[in-house]
């Protein structure tokens, strides 16, 4: 049985809006992702073809433990990036964030940081999560600085990947302590 996600309102943040990724967005996001500067930051860094990207999207769009978003500039409605939250575990109240891609013309303008902050606020408040984690190449210093400025801290390393997390006390069961290790 195929389940579909209920439609949802855009997640609003400081100067940005996050809306669900659609098939209409795939050519644009593929172009962003296939740029050499972007794709080398992905574990699977080979260039993708549109047909493969569509297959990926078909496999992701109805998952109930994952949301892929387009980041839009609220001033002009232009798509400026992509973010995602996936591996949502409601039992453990945790999820992974990633698939951060900025449009080339939007790089360095703070859109991705604001998108991550809005995504985390939504995840902690609406999904009732208490831990969000991510993996980042140790050489991706620009991204690491953004994550640290959003409150993420290092909790481990797996090969060339740094493991970072952000926690909140907001949704912790009573008697359970949390620390942003």
């Amino acid at each position: 049985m195929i389940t579909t996600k209920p439609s949802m309102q855009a997640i609003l943040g400081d100067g940005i809006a996050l809306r669900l990724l659609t098939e209409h967005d795939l050519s644009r996001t593929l172009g962003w992702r296939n740029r050499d500067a972007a794709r080398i930051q992905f574990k699977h860094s080979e260039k993708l073809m549109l047909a493969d990207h569509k297959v990926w999207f078909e496999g992701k769009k109805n998952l109930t433990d994952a949301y892929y978003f387009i980041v839009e500039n609220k001033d002009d409605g232009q798509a400026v990036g992509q973010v995602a939250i996936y591996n949502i575990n409601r039992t453990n109240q945790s999820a992974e964030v990633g698939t951060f891609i900025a449009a080339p013309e939007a790089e360095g303008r703070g859109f991705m940081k604001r998108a991550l902050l809005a995504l985390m606020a939504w995840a902690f408040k609406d999904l009732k999560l208490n831990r969000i984690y991510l993996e980042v190449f140790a050489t991706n210093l620009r991204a690491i600085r953004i994550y640290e400025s959003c409150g993420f801290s290092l909790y481990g390393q797996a090969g060339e990947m740094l493991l970072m997390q952000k926690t909140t006390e907001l949704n912790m069961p009573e008697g359970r302590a949390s620390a942003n290790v």
Side-chain angles (χ1 to χ4, degrees):
M1 178 175 132
I2 295 177
T3 58
T4 57
K5 287 184 190 152
S7 62
M8 61 183 287
Q9 298 284 348
I11 298 168
L12 302 178
D14 179 18
I16 58 97
L18 306 179
R19 65 163 175 80
L20 288 175
L21 180 72
T22 67
E23 189 169 353
H24 175 75
D25 300 308
L26 296 181
S27 291
R28 179 185 356 234
T29 58
L30 181 64
W32 297 341
R33 189 250 180 235
N34 274 346
R35 289 180 306 119
D36 289 342
R39 69 183 174 81
I40 63 170
Q41 302 304 333
F42 285 88
K43 287 184 195 177
H44 305 286
S45 60
E46 66 282 349
K47 283 191 176 183
L48 300 177
M49 302 301 292
L50 184 56
D52 297 323
H53 198 45
K54 286 182 177 181
V55 168
W56 168 86
F57 176 70
E58 286 301 317
K60 302 291 185 189
K61 72 178 182 180
N62 291 322
L63 292 177
T64 57
D65 71 340
Y67 295 87
Y68 292 81
F69 297 99
I70 287 292
V71 182
E72 292 181 337
N73 179 346
K74 278 200 304 195
D75 290 340
D76 61 13
Q78 291 298 306
V80 294
Q82 176 184 306
V83 297
I85 185 166
Y86 42 89
N87 297 327
I88 298 169
N89 183 321
R90 295 186 192 279
T91 302
N92 292 335
Q93 294 176 287
S94 65
E96 184 171 1
V97 292
T99 318
F100 301 109
I101 309 170
E105 63 276 8
E107 286 182 352
R109 296 177 51 199
F111 288 114
M112 300 313 288
K113 177 179 179 176
R114 289 180 276 152
L116 178 56
L117 289 169
L119 183 63
M120 289 189 316
W122 175 75
F124 287 141
K125 182 178 182 271
D126 294 353
L127 297 181
K128 309 239 183 287
L129 302 182
N130 62 39
R131 177 176 177 259
I132 297 173
Y133 59 95
L134 58 84
E135 296 180 342
V136 60
F137 281 109
T139 55
N140 192 345
L141 301 179
R142 183 177 180 182
I144 293 166
R145 281 192 300 272
I146 292 170
Y147 303 144
E148 289 174 337
S149 74
C150 290
F152 282 83
S153 60
L154 182 68
Y155 74 91
Q157 187 164 354
E160 56 191 330
M161 304 301 289
L162 298 181
L163 310 176
M164 301 182 79
Q165 69 180 357
K166 166 102 174 135
T167 60
T168 182
E169 297 289 331
L170 196 62
N171 303 309
M172 288 298 229
E174 219 174 296
R176 191 169 146 201
S178 169
N180 209 3
V181 185

